[in-house]
Amino acid sequence: TITDNILPVFSACPANIVVQASTNCQASATWTAPVGTDNCSIAGITSNYDSGDQFDFGVTTVTYTATDGSGNVATCSFTVTVQDSSAPVFSNCPANITLTPLINCRATALWIPHGVSDNCNVASSTSTHNPGSQFNVGTTTVTYTATDDSGNIATCSFTVTVTDASGPTFTNCPSNITVSPAANCRAVVSW
């Protein structure tokens, strides 16, 4: 009775692979398949993924399994990491706004909110001000900040300038006054 207890052997098992996510938060990865040999014969080699497959965001383990004619099994594993280094993208970032203040020296600014997208997922979007906010005289920067699931950050900024071009105005300005002087050639006048 000749018994084969020797496992198959893989040569050139691929190293771990890192790829960048595309627009659908996936990426394809390619590699050269490892070669399995055995002291007797290889019955079959299988893999849970093939070179050129699409991988989701994150880390995926690819495993090749070689089985010889005696049922001995060997594996070759490596990881495919899909990472996202692309920041979110703002569309329709508002242009700078210039306003004239109302009576209280403030002005209300309105704008169309921005749109933001990401090749994976926008985790949060915040703003220093919202449409309809009141602004004091001067220039204020409004900043939108978007962060995706990988921590990539993008900003969209514009200014709101409230310019007071109106001079002060007087109400009830007295009319010219004419009085006759007293004995000392002077007069007391009230207004």
Side-chain angles (χ1 to χ4, degrees), residues 65-100:
T65 304
T67 307
D68 68 12
S70 298
N72 297 308
V73 176
T75 60
C76 156
S77 295
F78 60 96
T79 60
V80 174
T81 301
V82 178
Q83 64 184 16
D84 175 22
S85 59
S86 299
V89 176
F90 283 97
S91 60
N92 303 322
C93 190
N96 294 337
I97 300 170
T98 301
L99 301 169
T100 302

Side-chain angles (χ1 to χ4, degrees), residues 102-122:
L102 300 175
I103 297 170
N104 62 358
C105 239
R106 295 172 58 107
T108 301
L110 296 172
W111 60 86
I112 297 173
H114 69 282
V116 62
S117 60
D118 189 66
N119 61 332
C120 286
N121 184 44
V122 176

Side-chain angles (χ1 to χ4, degrees), residues 3 13 20 27-28 44 48-49 56-57 63-64 76 82 85 87 92 116 148 157 165 181 188:
T3 303
C13 190
Q20 294 298 316
S28 63
N48 58 341
Y49 291 94
D56 291 326
F57 177 78
T63 302
Y64 279 83
C76 156
V82 178
S85 59
N92 303 322
V116 62
D148 68 13
S157 294
V188 176

